[in-house]
């Protein structure tokens, strides 16, 4: 028998549309990262000689011997700017981690519902022990969120099965279990959406930083080789500085991404556990009173 539970097309579409769209958001964040690199980090006020430095659009200065003069850093932002062309990419990664972390925090907060989740679970179990299904449904309407939606789905099926005379008790329990499983499956994509971005950046940020580090070291050793017996100390230090800046940005971004990914994963696991806990209580209550 096909169970007619409370899912509807509008509800399913709403779930699929939940959260930010990475295909749109990430290119925008990349443009923001480039703008920060050029106009914030590359602002002339971040350097010791702003009258000689015009940010990212500047022409390389040379001394009387024709050697390139690197603009001296006057602040930490100026130092980060000297990290080179990989810095905008790493800035994009960091902004992306922050934006999608805020988005996940908001989504998981809404998924928990309006009231304390532990109190909600206790209240629902109390109603189930007394077979007060209508009161439990009203509590779900007050709670809302993913947990409330799944519990309401199970309780709605509970009431339908109570009046169904075509199925035996074992078949009803199977149908109830299937309803809870389907409701949970509908909620999970919204909870897990964009988590892969945090997981990916936790690894990719380190690799891109390694690329920036290698490029910086190439510059450093090129300066060392070009100088012969008297290497250009300024060019050598610039290459090493670029390498270390990229390393620091990449490691920092990767660490933040991994920490937040694990935190949100534990939150999702906690919500799933609450859903399973109430689902088991619903099935036990149905078996006892029917």
């Amino acid at each position: 028998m096909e169970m007619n539970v409370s899912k509807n097309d509008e509800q399913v579409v709403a779930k699929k549309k939940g959260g930010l769209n990475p295909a749109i958001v990430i290119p925008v964040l990349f443009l923001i990262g480039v703008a920060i690199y050029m106009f914030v980090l590359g602002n002339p006020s971040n350097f010791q000689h702003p009258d000689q430095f015009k940010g990212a659009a500047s022409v390389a200065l040379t001394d009387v011997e024709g050697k390139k003069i690197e603009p001296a850093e006057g602040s930490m932002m100026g130092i980060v700017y000297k990290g080179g062309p990989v810095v905008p990419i790493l800035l994009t990664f960091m902004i992306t981690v922050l934006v999608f972390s805020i988005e996940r925090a908001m989504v998981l907060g809404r998924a928990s519902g309006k009231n304390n989740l532990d109190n909600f679970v206790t209240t629902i179990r109390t109603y189930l022990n007394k077979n007060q299904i209508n009161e439990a449904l009203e509590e779900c309407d007050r709670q809302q969120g993913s947990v409330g939606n799944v519990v309401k789905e199970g309780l709605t099926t509970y009431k339908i099965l109570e009046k169904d005379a075509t199925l035996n008790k074992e078949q009803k329990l199977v149908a109830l279990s299937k309803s809870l499983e389907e409701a949970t499956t509908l909620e999970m994509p919204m909870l897990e959406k964009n988590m892969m971005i945090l997981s990916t950046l936790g690894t990719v940020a380190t690799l891109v930083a390694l690329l920036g580090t290698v490029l910086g070291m190439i510059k450093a050793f090129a300066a060392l080789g070009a100088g012969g017996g008297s290497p250009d100390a300024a060019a050598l230090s610039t290459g090493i500085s670029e390498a270390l800046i990229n390393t620091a940005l990449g490691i920092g971004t990767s660490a933040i991404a991994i920490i937040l990914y694990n935190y949100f994963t534990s939150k999702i696991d906690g919500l799933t556990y609450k859903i399973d806990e109430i689902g088991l209580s619903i099935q036990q209550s149905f078996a006892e009173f029917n």
Side-chain angles (χ1 to χ4, degrees):
M1 176 180 176
E2 190 76 21
M3 294 307 305
N4 182 23
V5 292
S6 62
K7 308 180 192 75
N8 55 65
D9 293 339
E10 292 182 358
Q11 182 184 28
V12 174
V13 171
K15 289 179 184 3
K16 291 182 179 179
K17 290 184 178 180
L20 298 176
N21 186 347
I24 297 175
V25 175
I26 291 179
V28 173
L29 295 180
F30 174 71
L31 295 177
I32 293 174
V34 172
I36 291 175
Y37 176 74
M38 294 177 62
F39 303 111
V40 178
L41 300 182
N43 191 295
S45 63
N46 295 326
F47 299 88
Q48 291 181 4
H49 306 291
D51 56 323
Q52 296 180 334
F53 184 64
K54 305 300 181 184
S58 65
V59 178
L61 302 174
T62 57
D63 60 14
V64 293
E65 297 179 356
K67 293 183 179 180
K68 182 180 178 182
I69 301 175
E70 295 287 347
E73 303 88 354
S75 69
M76 180 58 67
M77 289 191 291
I79 293 174
V80 175
Y81 178 84
K82 292 292 295 297
V86 179
V87 171
I89 300 176
L90 293 173
L91 286 175
T92 301
F93 288 170
M94 181 171 292
I95 297 172
T96 301
V97 169
L98 294 177
V99 168
F100 282 100
S101 295
I102 294 172
E103 181 252 3
R104 284 296 88 196
M106 295 174 62
V107 169
L108 294 179
R110 290 196 300 268
S112 299
K114 294 184 176 180
N115 304 312
N116 183 273
L117 189 56
D118 291 329
N119 292 339
F120 171 70
V121 173
T122 302
T123 302
I124 292 296
R125 296 185 68 176
T126 301
Y127 284 137
L128 289 172
N129 291 335
K130 299 177 181 179
N131 199 31
Q132 296 176 333
I133 306 304
N134 290 329
E135 289 79 357
L137 283 169
E138 292 175 0
E139 185 66 26
C140 291
D141 290 334
R142 287 190 291 269
Q143 180 71 16
Q144 299 183 6
S146 294
V147 179
N149 292 340
V150 173
V151 176
K152 183 177 181 179
E153 192 68 50
L155 293 174
T156 301
T157 305
Y158 186 115
K159 294 189 66 176
I160 295 174
L161 290 171
E162 277 186 319
K163 301 175 182 178
D164 194 317
T166 63
L167 302 176
N168 58 38
K169 185 174 182 178
E170 183 177 348
Q171 290 173 324
K172 290 180 179 180
L173 285 172
V174 171
L176 181 59
S177 176
K178 183 179 179 181
S179 175
L180 289 165
E181 182 179 344
E182 290 176 349
T184 304
T185 301
L186 277 176
E187 294 290 340
M188 290 307 295
M190 183 187 70
L191 299 180
E192 297 177 345
K193 184 178 180 180
N194 296 331
M195 288 292 293
M196 184 58 67
I197 293 176
L198 296 179
S199 175
T200 301
L201 291 181
T203 302
V204 173
T206 304
L207 297 178
V208 174
L210 180 60
L211 173 62
T213 302
V214 171
L215 293 176
M217 295 307 296
I218 289 174
K219 289 184 179 180
F221 282 102
L224 185 63
S230 56
D232 187 342
L236 179 62
S237 63
T238 297
I240 296 176
S241 175
E242 178 177 329
L244 295 179
I245 289 168
N246 285 288
T247 301
L249 281 175
I251 291 176
T253 300
S254 178
I256 293 173
I258 292 172
I259 291 171
L260 291 174
Y261 174 80
N262 289 330
Y263 171 75
F264 291 131
T265 299
S266 67
K267 293 280 288 185
I268 293 173
D269 290 342
L271 291 175
T272 305
Y273 174 78
K274 296 296 183 184
I275 291 173
D276 292 341
E277 181 181 359
I278 300 181
L280 180 60
S281 297
I282 292 174
Q283 295 179 69
Q284 290 174 342
S285 175
F286 187 89
E288 179 181 354
F289 293 103
N290 296 277

